[in-house]
Structures are given as structure tokens and as C-alpha cells.
Amino acid sequence: MFSALLLVMGFFAGILGALTGIGGGVLLTPILALHFGIPIRQAIGTSLVAVITTSAASSSVHLQRHTTDIRLGMTLELATAFGAAVTAYLVGYFNRNVLEGLFAGFLLYSSITILARGGKLKDEETVPPNTNGETVIPPYEPQRYPLGLAASLVAGGLSGLLGIGGGPIKVPVMFIFMKVPLMVATATSNFMIGVTAAASAIVYYRRGDILVEIAAPLAVGVFLGSLLGARLAPRIQTKYVVYLLVAIMLYLAGHLCVHLLSGGSAA
Amino acid sequence: MSEVREPAFDRVVALVLRVGAFTCFFVMLTGLLLGLFIHGSLPEDIERAGVLLMLATPVVRVLVAGILFLREKDWRYGAISLGVLTILLLGAVFGIGEH
């Protein structure tokens, strides 16, 4: 029964993730911590498995559309993987209240950013397909590698700390500062999440912070949910889904704050 | 460099990710279903294998991309891939931390 509940939860997180582009980890970690009484560090490690599953499934689709810049991704992964591995180590020495506070702050920040954009998750960029119906990517050369690597280090660090993908940092940096087309920046960021999450997940696993009996049903649910979500995406008004996501994130942020203020006793 | 798109390269890397994700899905599902009927450690061991395969998938993806770069004699990106692989493996070797 317990596994079935986790599977269903992963399924909905997977659908929401595929429809909005926000990784399931953002929702799964606080839900595991608040409603399943799992210490936040194990909640982060466990949902990292679901994050890797989502990234593998979705970036294989991007790759087949040839919108991923593997060379750029691999270069920036030097920084994201390093940052993620380092903070994954440091998390072992963090107090759970600090982690819950950081997570609540991250949820609030993400919600406000989405609302400030009027419910749009990212700036849309329309690239007209050519006569064969294929997407044409304008030629480009990534600029300012040092800045890109520095931002990736921060994104990776946040990923190892909170079990999130770090797309909200990497995509704008690649798009605005490195002059990479938005479509390529999005696909490449997605591509990098798997390796970044794996760099920290390996450290979490070795520390015993991945609960297998929870990670397995969650990952199975997330996998099915993201497959369905990807099929639903073209047919659904994502705006309402985004507001639903923001509502859930705000609820979880508030719940985390209450949890913190009550001394972590209320589950 | 970036304006040169290599469809074959993309396809191989996509295949690694797809095979990894599907394999893990079926392994974990097998563990879960067995858990409904069998008591003992077998279902959990199978689930653990699925989780470990999931953690290994990105590592294999870096390895395969690195081999493809080296086969193209693209030493620079071959070396970068090797660097990423090293970071990933260091985490596995020095996985010490407090419980």
C-alpha cells in the first residue's frame, strides 16, 4: 500500500514535471520530509534518483531532436559535477533546520519568479521550422566560458545541497551571457542534470541517504508520469498547470516554515 | 564547433540514456511486484540494483561520449569527458560521510 502511494505521488510529480519543465525533485523532497516523516537529507538523496530518471528520459528526446550541445554540456558538467559532489559531502555536516530553511527559501524564490513572469516558466523563443519541417538552429559559438563555468559551479552546488536540477540558473546564463539559442540552452541544461544529480547522488548513496524502498516506487511513478506528461504537453493549457504547481510550492514552503518554527516536531 | 551538429553522435548518447532509463524502470518494477508476493530481502535487492543502475546511467553516458570524442580524435573534449568521469568516480570511491 505504502509503495502504491509513493508510485502514485511520483506519477503526478512526473506529469507536472513534464508539463512545466520543473523537475519532480522540487516537490518530492518536501513531501517526503513533511508527510512521510523522512529526515530532509534522506528525502533529498531519495528524490535525486527520480531527478536522474526524469533527466535521462527527457534528454533522450531532446537529443533525438538534435537541440542538445553535447560539447558545451560536457564542459559545463566539469563545474556542475564538481560543485554537486562537494556540497553533497558538506550536507553530511549540515543541521536539518538549515536544509529545511534553504529549501523553503528556494521554493518561495521559484514561486515568486514564476508569478513575476505572469505564469510563464521561461521566455519563449520560436524558431520557425524549415521546409522539411525540421527545426533549424541558428549558428552560434558559446561565449564567456569562465562565466558559464562559474554559474555552473553554483548551480551544481545548489543541486548537491537541495537535490534540484539548477535549470533556473544554467538556462539564463547560457542564453544571455554565453549567447546560446534558448532552445539549445534548455536542452543542454536538461542534459546536464543527469550527470550533476548523479555526482551528488553517488555521495548520498554511500552515506546511506538514499532509501531504496522509497526511491524505487517513486522513480517508477515518475518515469510513467513523465512519459504521459510529454504526450499531454501539446494538448494542455500549461498556464493552469503552472499555477497549480506554484500553489503546491507555496503550500510546501509554508508547511516547511511552520515545521521549522514548531521545532521540527509536527510532521 | 557548436554549429556542427552530429546526428549519429546524438543518437548514440540518446540510446544510452533511453536504454538506461527503461532498464531501471523494468528492474525496479520487477522488485516492486515481487515485493507483493515474496517476503524477505530479494525484492529489496532487486530494487537496489535498479537504483544503482540509475546512478550508473549518467556515468556510462559520460564514458560513451568520451569514447566517441576520442574516436573522432577530438582530444580536447575527450579529456573533458575524462575529467567529468573522474569527478563522478571520486564520489564513488571516497563516499565517506557521517551517518
Side-chain angles (χ1 to χ4, degrees), chain A residues 57-239:
Chain A
S58 71
S59 58
S60 71
V61 175
H62 285 299
L63 278 162
Q64 282 172 328
R65 290 190 198 131
H66 308 300
T67 49
T68 310
D69 190 331
I70 297 183
R71 284 183 166 82
L72 173 65
M74 193 68 92
T75 308
L76 297 182
E77 271 166 10
L78 276 175
T80 60
F82 183 72
V86 168
T87 51
Y89 273 111
L90 294 179
V91 160
Y93 303 94
F94 271 38
N95 173 309
R96 74 183 270 187
N97 289 345
V98 176
L99 283 177
E100 288 191 5
L102 280 171
F103 210 101
F106 172 76
L107 284 169
L108 276 177
Y109 171 78
S110 311
S111 313
I112 292 167
T113 327
I114 295 171
L115 288 178
R117 285 189 207 143
K120 268 196 277 177
L121 278 161
K122 45 190 179 256
D123 310 305
E124 296 296 333
E125 175 196 53
T126 42
V127 179
N130 69 6
T131 42
N132 299 326
E134 290 169 338
T135 334
V136 183
I137 298 159
Y140 65 94
E141 184 70 37
Q143 312 282 317
R144 301 199 191 92
Y145 267 99
L147 188 66
L149 284 166
S152 300
L153 192 66
V154 174
L158 268 178
S159 172
L161 196 59
L162 301 176
I164 54 165
I169 300 174
K170 286 175 293 179
V171 175
V173 167
M174 280 189 257
F175 176 51
I176 298 167
F177 297 110
M178 302 189 77
K179 308 279 180 212
V180 173
L182 189 57
M183 202 170 44
V184 177
T186 309
T188 306
S189 162
N190 217 312
F191 177 72
M192 289 158 62
I193 287 172
V195 163
T196 312
S200 48
I202 289 168
V203 177
Y204 276 85
Y205 182 82
R206 290 290 307 261
R207 195 167 46 214
D209 281 342
I210 292 183
L211 307 174
V212 169
E213 69 280 14
I214 291 171
L218 269 186
V220 166
V222 164
F223 183 80
L224 291 173
S226 43
L227 285 185
L228 180 67
R231 290 189 180 261
L232 287 177
R235 282 176 245 163
I236 277 191
Q237 264 280 22
T238 36
K239 191 156 185 178

Side-chain angles (χ1 to χ4, degrees), chain B residues 6-21:
Chain B
E6 296 149 287
F9 199 123
D10 287 355
R11 234 173 281 135
V12 174
V13 177
L15 187 72
V16 171
L17 293 174
R18 183 156 295 195
V19 168

